Amino acid sequence: MDTTNPTARALLCLELLQDSPGITADRLGERLGVTSRAARRYVGILREAGIPVQSTRGPYGGYRVGRGLRLPPLTFSSAEALGLVMAVLDGHHDAGNPADPVGSALAKILRALPDSVAAQADAVRRTAASAPDRAAARPDPTTAATLVDASAEHHRVRVTYHSESGRTWDVEVDPWAVVVRHGRWYLLCLTRPTSDEAAVRTYRVDRVSAVEVLDLTFTPPPDLDPVALLERHLATGWEYAVDVLVEAPVEIVSHWLPRALGRLELVDERTTRLVGTTSSLWWYAEQLAVLRAPFRIVGCTELQEVARAVGAQLLAAGTPGGAGQPQSASSS
C-alpha cells in the first residue's frame, strides 16, 4: 500500500484506530508520517464517511472507533484472516457451507478482504475437512445472545427448559454467566423458585426453548469465577442423585474422573466418596468404568441397574464369540 496516497493514509488511520484504541493525535501522526494536525484531518475524513470515531480529552485521552449504526470497514492481515477461519472451523464444522449462517457470515468477511489477504483463508474454509465433534451441542444463536445480554445487563429471565429425559419446566433465574465448555454452552445461574430456597444451577443452553427477559435486576457475586463455579456445579440439579464409594485416595480418584461427575469427599485415607447427580445414567456408568480401583454404587438403584447392563456388555465384548448390544451414550 502506498502510504503517501491520501486514501491509503485514511485507511491506515482506520487500521491504527482499530488496533490501538485511545491513540493520541501525536502518536497517530507519527505512525502515518504526518503532523498531528494532519492526523486530525484524516480522523475527520473517516467521520465524514460515517465511521464513528470517538475522541476523549485530557492526559489519558485519544481516539477510538465507537459503535454506530454502520459497521466500520474491517482490516485483517493474512495471518489474522487465516487464524479467524481456523478458529471458526475448530468450533463450527459447517463453516464452509454457504447455506449455514456461520458459513455465510464468514464468506462475507472474506469477500470484503483483498484477494492477497483472503485467498489462503478462503481456500482453507472451503477445502479443510473437519471431523464433527459429536459431543458439541450448539444452541440457537438468538437464545444464546438473549442470555448473554441479560447476563451483561443483570436482568432476571424466565426460561423454558427441556431435560434429556423429556421433562419440561419453566424457571426464573438470575443469569450470572454463559460459559462455553468443550463445545457446549452452559448458563450458570441462580434459580428464583417460589417456594424452595434459591440454588446455583447450570443449564445447557441448547436445551432452553424459550427465554423471557424480566424487568427485575440482580447483583452477581463480587468474586464470581464463572468457569470454576461451572465445574463445581455441573453435577448438581439433575434427576438422579448418585453416591459412589471408591477404594482409592481422593488425590488419585481426582485424576481418573472428570470434575463434572460430582464432588469428591474424603472418607478415610484409602476411601473416597463421589456425590453428584445426572440425567443420563448410561453416560454416568460409562464414566465410572474408567476407575482403576474397586468401587460400589450405594446411592442410586437406577444407576446400579444401568451399571450392571454396562458391565454385561463389557463382559460379552471380552468373551470369545460373544457380542454385546451397543447403546448410544450422551452427556448430562
Side-chain angles (χ1 to χ4, degrees):
M1 179 185 292
D2 179 10
T3 55
T4 63
N5 181 286
T7 302
R9 276 212 179 106
L11 292 175
L12 179 57
C13 178
L14 173 60
E15 182 176 353
L16 293 171
L17 292 174
Q18 290 175 327
D19 291 343
S20 306
I23 190 171
T24 64
D26 290 341
R27 181 59 177 158
L28 189 58
E30 291 177 8
R31 298 291 299 275
L32 293 173
V34 298
T35 64
S36 60
R37 183 177 181 181
R40 294 188 183 93
R41 286 202 300 269
Y42 285 115
V43 170
I45 291 173
L46 294 177
R47 286 171 170 165
E48 289 175 0
I51 298 173
V53 180
Q54 300 174 346
S55 60
T56 305
R57 297 182 180 277
Y60 302 104
Y63 296 106
R64 69 184 66 243
V65 178
R67 297 183 181 273
L69 296 178
R70 296 178 56 186
L71 180 68
L74 301 176
T75 57
F76 296 97
S77 68
S78 57
E80 288 172 335
L82 182 58
L84 175 63
V85 170
M86 292 174 67
V88 173
L89 285 172
D90 187 52
H92 195 96
H93 302 287
D94 289 329
N97 180 5
D100 180 83
V102 174
S104 175
L106 190 58
K108 288 180 181 179
I109 293 175
L110 295 180
R111 283 198 299 269
L113 300 177
D115 289 341
S116 59
V117 174
Q120 186 179 26
D122 190 44
V124 170
R125 180 186 71 89
R126 288 183 290 102
T127 62
S130 286
D133 182 358
R134 289 178 295 177
R138 296 181 183 88
D140 175 72
T142 302
T143 298
T146 301
L147 292 173
V148 169
D149 289 343
S151 173
E153 299 297 330
H154 300 166
H155 272 283
R156 187 171 300 174
V157 297
R158 181 182 294 112
V159 301
T160 301
Y161 193 77
H162 302 270
S163 71
E164 185 180 6
S165 64
R167 189 164 67 94
T168 302
W169 67 92
D170 293 332
V171 60
E172 290 187 12
V173 302
D174 294 345
W176 286 353
V178 174
V179 182
V180 183
R181 177 185 181 273
H182 302 318
R184 287 187 173 171
W185 292 61
Y186 293 93
L187 173 65
L188 178 65
C189 59
L190 184 70
T191 62
R192 290 298 184 183
T194 55
S195 56
D196 299 332
E197 293 183 359
V200 178
R201 289 287 184 263
T202 56
Y203 294 119
R204 288 254 303 265
V205 178
D206 61 290
R207 292 181 181 163
V208 175
S209 60
V211 183
E212 179 186 357
V213 180
L214 307 177
D215 291 333
L216 298 171
T217 59
F218 66 91
T219 301
D223 56 348
L224 178 64
D225 184 338
V227 176
L229 192 57
L230 174 75
E231 292 284 357
R232 291 201 300 270
H233 285 275
L234 268 178
T236 64
W238 305 107
E239 289 92 327
Y240 302 101
V242 176
D243 191 348
V244 181
L245 290 177
V246 185
E247 296 180 18
V250 170
E251 59 270 15
I252 294 179
V253 176
S254 64
H255 290 295
W256 292 338
L257 299 177
R259 286 184 292 180
L261 287 187
R263 183 178 68 257
L264 297 180
E265 299 177 351
L266 174 67
V267 177
D268 55 47
E269 60 182 11
R270 291 181 296 181
T271 309
T272 300
R273 181 183 299 274
L274 167 64
V275 180
T277 67
T278 185
S279 64
S280 179
L281 296 169
W282 190 274
W283 172 83
Y284 205 97
E286 287 178 329
Q287 306 309 303
L288 295 177
V290 306
L291 287 168
R292 303 175 189 176
F295 65 93
R296 290 181 296 114
I297 301 170
V298 297
C300 183
T301 56
E302 295 89 351
L303 183 60
Q304 290 171 347
E305 294 177 3
V306 173
R308 285 194 290 270
V310 172
Q313 180 168 303
L314 291 174
L315 286 172
T319 302
Q325 297 296 321
Q327 298 198 26
S328 60
S330 59
S331 172
S332 64

